[in-house]
Amino acid sequence: MSKAILFAVIVTMAGCAQPPTSQQTSAVLPAVEANELRPVSAFSSIREKRTRAVALFEEAGKVIQHPRCVNCHPATERPTQTDLMQPHQPWVVRGADGHGAPALQCTTCHHATNYDPARVPGHPQWHLAPESMAWQGRSLGQICEQVKDPARNGGKDMEALLHHMEADSLVGWGWNPGAGRTPAPGNQAQFGALMRAWAQSGAHCPQ
């Protein structure tokens, strides 16, 4: 066998031995609409745990990188709003505790429920994420590393993080945003299930 042929055989075998990436496996996943999430069961055919974890987080990333989440995790002191993630009007800032400046707290305009006639969103705990949890403009891989780091996620261990994703009502507002705003894909239960399956698969992050 010539050296050229032997080299080609080795390269081919090496390529076959590599585990598929999430991008490669995504082709076999069922198609869903942009406003839907694939169920955890759709990822069961991905046998390699790292690849499965990455694929699960990429699916959950459809929520994490949606305007309903990103607007409240701004890269600057000023939040963004609308599906276009435009600078908040009027001009407001995060403030020391995420609830706005002393003279203009979030609750000045944002009350306990959505006020649809004026298209003002609302929730009893309305506030911005801490600066350490700002992820606007970051890649999904960077966000993944950030959310599982207790030093940057508000001191949450993995179980506390998953509970936050699954059950926190302010997170849940993203699926009930009121008039004029597109809900996050799927629903909170599906999102929480994807995040829990991601953790159980090793909590690996996209590159």
Side-chain angles (χ1 to χ4, degrees), residues 130 132-133 146-158 161:
S132 65
M133 295 172 65
Q146 180 179 359
V147 298
K148 67 179 186 178
D149 179 4
R152 294 183 289 165
N153 72 6
K156 296 179 178 65
D157 61 15
M158 183 57 73
L161 173 67

Side-chain angles (χ1 to χ4, degrees), residues 1-12:
M1 182 181 292
S2 70
K3 291 183 178 180
I5 295 176
L6 178 60
F7 177 76
V9 170
I10 291 173
V11 169
T12 300

Side-chain angles (χ1 to χ4, degrees), residues 75-203:
T76 69
E77 287 298 293
R78 188 181 183 185
T80 54
Q81 60 185 175
T82 77
D83 289 357
L84 299 178
M85 295 184 286
Q86 299 169 327
H88 192 287
Q89 294 292 345
W91 192 300
V92 295
V93 295
R94 179 185 282 108
D97 60 358
H99 289 78
L104 188 57
Q105 294 278 292
C106 297
T107 52
T108 303
C109 299
H110 298 279
H111 300 156
T113 59
N114 296 328
Y115 183 59
D116 288 342
R119 295 194 173 187
V120 177
H123 184 276
Q125 302 167 19
W126 195 266
H127 65 281
L128 290 180
E131 186 176 1
S132 65
M133 295 172 65
W135 63 55
Q136 193 173 57
R138 295 181 181 174
S139 71
L140 188 60
Q142 291 172 323
I143 297 171
C144 178
E145 296 291 353
Q146 180 179 359
V147 298
K148 67 179 186 178
D149 179 4
R152 294 183 289 165
N153 72 6
K156 296 179 178 65
D157 61 15
M158 183 57 73
E159 185 56 38
L161 173 67
L162 295 176
H163 179 76
H164 174 71
M165 301 296 194
E166 293 170 332
D168 186 276
S169 62
L170 186 54
V171 173
W173 172 89
W175 290 274
N176 300 282
R181 286 171 290 276
T182 305
N187 58 55
Q188 188 171 16
Q190 292 174 316
F191 173 61
L194 287 167
M195 291 295 294
R196 188 164 290 277
W198 162 73
Q200 292 169 346
S201 297

